[in-house]
Amino acid sequence: MTRVLVVDDEPQIVRGLRTNLRARGYEVVTAPDGEEALAIAARERPDLAIIDLGLPGIDGVDVIEGIRAWSRMPILVLSARDQEPDKVRALDAGADDYVTKPFGMD
């Protein structure tokens, strides 16, 4: 089963993603902040990460850089930050794609 790491500090976003991803056959692990995301990523070795940029503690871009130091897993940014510099910074850090909130599940 494909394991997805969802990193977001908004419980309703995490709940919605977890429900929808599980319904589509994915295993989901979650982290509410950057520090926990890095620990879970190293321990659980997910196949894909969905990361918010605005996290408590370590920023999402730093999480991306931390994961990129040892993994080539696909990383999708899911963030309310919609300005071009934020997108460029995340993609330059190693994210594979960028989706802005609000978003549709389809």
Side-chain angles (χ1 to χ4, degrees):
M1 182 180 293
T2 302
R3 182 177 297 144
V4 178
L5 170 60
V6 174
V7 185
D8 202 306
D9 62 330
E10 295 180 50
Q12 54 278 48
I13 296 286
V14 172
R15 189 172 34 257
L17 286 170
R18 182 187 308 119
T19 299
N20 281 281
L21 289 169
R22 284 183 177 165
R24 289 168 170 81
Y26 295 96
E27 179 183 346
V28 179
V29 291
T30 65
D33 58 54
E35 291 87 355
E36 192 168 338
L38 290 171
I40 290 172
R43 184 178 64 244
E44 300 286 333
R45 302 292 180 159
D47 300 293
L48 165 76
I50 301 173
I51 302 174
D52 183 19
L53 295 183
L55 299 170
I58 298 174
D59 184 71
V61 171
D62 295 326
V63 174
I64 294 166
E65 291 173 341
I67 290 173
R68 276 292 170 253
W70 58 268
S71 175
R72 297 305 316 153
M73 81 173 81
I75 297 174
L76 173 67
V77 171
L78 179 61
S79 180
R81 296 180 188 173
D82 62 356
Q83 299 298 307
E84 187 173 346
D86 293 316
K87 294 177 183 181
V88 169
R89 186 169 171 245
L91 294 168
D92 283 349
D96 295 290
D97 208 348
Y98 197 108
V99 176
T100 54
K101 296 176 185 176
F103 61 98
M105 287 304 295
D106 291 334

